[in-house]
Each structure stands twice: as C-alpha cells, then as structure tokens.
Amino acid sequence: MPARVLVAKPGLDGHDRGAKIVARALRDAGFEVVFTGIRQRIEDIVTIALQEDVAVVGLSILSGAHIALTTRTVEALRAADAGDIAVIVGGTIPPADVPRLLAAGAAAVFPTGTALDELVSQVRELTATATST
C-alpha cells in the first residue's frame, strides 16, 4: 500500500501552482496524495489528515507566515494525538528560517527551488521511517 501524503495550503495564500506540482511529483513517484486546495484552516488540515490516515502533511506556504502556520499545525496534530504524522513545509522560505521551522517540529523544509527528486527522496525516507516504527 502506498504511503499517503496530504498536501495543504494553509492560511490566506491563494497561489497553488507549486503545491500542485509537488502533489503531482509525489503521485508520480507512487504516493497516494490528497490535495486540500487553497485557503485551508489548520483545524481542517488536521481533520483531513486524521480522516485520510496520512503519514505526512505537506504545507505549501508562500505568504511569509510559514513559522506560525507550521507551528500551529504541529501543535494541532499533537493535540489530536497525531504527533506521529510528519509535517513538512515548502515555499518561499528564507534560509535563516529553516532552523526555526525544524525547531518548531517540521520534519523537513523545502525552500523554493528544491529539486523535486530531492523532495520525493526525503518524503520516501520519512514514510519508510513512519511505517517501520
């Protein structure tokens, strides 16, 4: 059974081209992908993640609110007793913010320009770890 990944666009950011490219790349690599569409509330992302039994939640954020939205997502998953779901984040992320996102609980960070092969490889590693524990 392929690993399930949720690709979500939290907040008010209405740009979804990158998220659609990532979703397609993951699908083409053999993952089962659920795409939420734009302007999702954190609570709704967590609900969908639980209902769809995903191993990874991928947040696509271009709005500059990546630290707050990632932190809120990680905290909401933990509060829902789903802290084992890995949260990854991609988008317009300054290099200086990567350590802050990792400290907030992100399992991986993919700034704009990350090669799709690298993203797929890291998601494979995360899902392999999740299914082997």
Side-chain angles (χ1 to χ4, degrees), residues 9 20 27 52 83 104 110 118 122 132:
K9 291 288 302 175
K20 287 178 177 177
R27 183 204 62 201
E52 296 291 340
F110 303 100
E118 180 182 339
Q122 286 195 38
S132 67

Side-chain angles (χ1 to χ4, degrees), residues 17-77:
R17 182 175 179 196
K20 287 178 177 177
I21 290 169
V22 166
R24 180 173 292 136
L26 291 170
R27 183 204 62 201
D28 291 350
F31 293 94
E32 189 171 333
V33 179
V34 178
F35 180 65
T36 65
I38 60 175
R39 297 186 183 101
Q40 298 296 308
R41 296 173 348 130
I42 299 299
E43 298 79 11
D44 296 332
I45 292 169
V46 170
T47 297
I48 295 166
L50 295 171
Q51 289 174 345
E52 296 291 340
D53 193 29
V54 300
V56 175
V57 170
L59 301 176
S60 173
I61 306 170
L62 303 176
S63 66
H66 46 274
I67 294 171
L69 291 169
T70 301
T71 301
R72 287 181 47 214
T73 302
V74 169
E75 289 173 353
L77 285 167

Side-chain angles (χ1 to χ4, degrees), residues 97-116:
D97 287 347
V98 172
R100 293 177 65 192
L101 288 164
L102 295 171
V109 180
F110 303 100
T112 300
T114 300
L116 291 174

